Amino acid sequence: GRAAMAARRGALIALEGVDRAGKSTQGRRLVEALREAGHPADLLRFPDRTTEIGQLISSYLGREKNLEDHTIHLLFSANRWEHVPMMKEKLQQGITVVVDRYAFSGVAFTSAKGNFGLDWCKQPDVGLPKPDLILFLQLNPEAAAERGNFGQERYETSSFQEKVLQCFYCLMEDKSLNWKTVDASKSIEDLHREIKSIAKETMQEVQNKPLGELWK
Ligand code: DGP
Ligand code: NA
Ligand code: NA
């Protein structure tokens, strides 16, 4: 009834995975499909390069600017935090929020640099809205390589990406989070159908659950 509809919150769904796994394509397709089915949904992409912090991050990634490793880690986290009030508002309004990368990329990319403890890496993102679902788009390095060469941005080397992947596997051991691994070697259409079906299940399940806080 009407009261139940009003209480229904949106789901927070994170897409993670190695570069070229298809996160951005699948994020766009998922949000379009949900909207077409009458479920309000919005896509957010991290890093969001449009904010002042995002512009710093973008010039770091483009190698125009060098930033100390702790500093850039904190900036990526700040770039997520600056969107939190808006994300919470949307979720409360019943809008499903799909994020293309989230805190897990944050931890995986910094900890892949070596000499950073996992706990230190997680700390700045502790308390972010906790995803109701983390879809991990799994693609082996050979298949990823076949999708085209890396660009010129920082982090875009196979050896670094392999380390990032190992860090993602560490994070997936945390069973307090709802990780679902999907096979990203499938066609765009097949993967879309699978992701849409998992997302819809999650959206049903969160109806009466409060939004959680990440790593708390
Ligand atoms: P994208 O726009 O999704 O291609 O991301 C740009 C690059 O930044 C990509 O190599 C992944 C990396 N990245 C995304 N989020 C974070 C983060 O929170 N911390 C770090 N260090 N790198 C990140
Ligand atoms: Na990239
Ligand atoms: Na992407």
Side-chain angles (χ1 to χ4, degrees), residues 19 45 49 61 101 153-154 156 161:
D19 276 38
R45 180 172 182 181
R49 302 187 190 213
L61 289 170
R101 294 191 190 276
E153 285 208 321
R154 220 179 277 261
E156 294 185 334
Q161 295 282 328

Side-chain angles (χ1 to χ4, degrees), residues 1-215:
R2 192 170 265 271
M5 291 298 283
R8 179 190 276 210
R9 71 169 172 90
L12 177 58
I13 299 172
L15 299 176
E16 289 281 13
V18 295
D19 276 38
R20 293 172 301 183
K23 293 179 297 298
S24 300
T25 303
Q26 292 298 331
R28 275 194 301 273
R29 292 290 308 273
L30 176 60
V31 166
E32 277 169 22
L34 293 177
R35 286 177 176 171
E36 276 168 24
H39 303 286
D42 276 324
L43 180 66
L44 264 179
R45 180 172 182 181
F46 291 119
D48 172 6
R49 302 187 190 213
T50 66
T51 69
E52 285 172 78
I53 292 167
Q55 284 163 31
L56 273 174
I57 292 171
S58 188
S59 53
Y60 169 82
L61 289 170
R63 300 181 198 275
E64 294 146 38
K65 193 179 197 75
N66 284 318
L67 289 164
E68 189 274 331
D69 286 335
H70 299 79
T71 310
I72 187 64
H73 183 79
L74 296 171
L75 287 173
F76 272 108
S77 178
N79 186 234
R80 286 182 282 275
W81 278 107
E82 63 182 336
H83 291 84
V84 166
M86 176 265 285
M87 287 167 70
K88 284 187 169 168
E89 203 177 299
K90 285 182 193 288
L91 292 167
Q92 275 158 19
Q93 287 171 354
I95 302 170
T96 284
V97 176
V98 177
V99 289
D100 175 2
R101 294 191 190 276
Y102 203 48
F104 315 99
S105 280
V107 173
F109 277 78
T110 295
S111 86
K113 293 176 178 178
N115 65 348
F116 283 87
L118 204 61
D119 278 342
W120 188 88
C121 292
K122 285 160 86 172
Q123 215 45 234
D125 286 310
V126 168
L128 279 180
K130 179 180 173 176
D132 298 295
L133 169 68
I134 311 157
L135 281 161
F136 187 75
L137 277 64
Q138 175 132 32
L139 192 66
N140 69 48
E142 296 79 42
E146 281 168 18
R147 292 184 175 185
N149 291 319
F150 284 113
Q152 296 304 305
E153 285 208 321
R154 220 179 277 261
Y155 303 147
E156 294 185 334
T157 66
S158 303
S159 59
F160 191 77
Q161 295 282 328
E162 183 54 45
K163 288 178 193 155
V164 170
L165 182 59
Q166 296 308 316
C167 298
F168 274 126
Y169 290 150
C170 275
L171 291 171
M172 279 184 221
E173 284 169 22
D174 181 350
K175 302 302 176 202
S176 73
L177 291 166
N178 184 23
W179 287 93
K180 290 251 161 62
T181 297
V182 291
D183 175 4
S185 71
K186 289 182 180 180
S187 72
I188 291 177
E189 206 50 46
D190 286 351
L191 186 57
H192 168 63
R193 266 195 294 272
E194 183 181 2
I195 285 177
K196 186 172 62 179
S197 133
I198 300 171
K200 282 186 171 173
E201 260 172 52
T202 301
M203 288 161 63
Q204 292 287 320
E205 289 163 8
V206 303
Q207 273 185 62
N208 301 307
K209 274 192 229 160
L211 181 65
E213 292 176 301
L214 182 61
W215 293 322

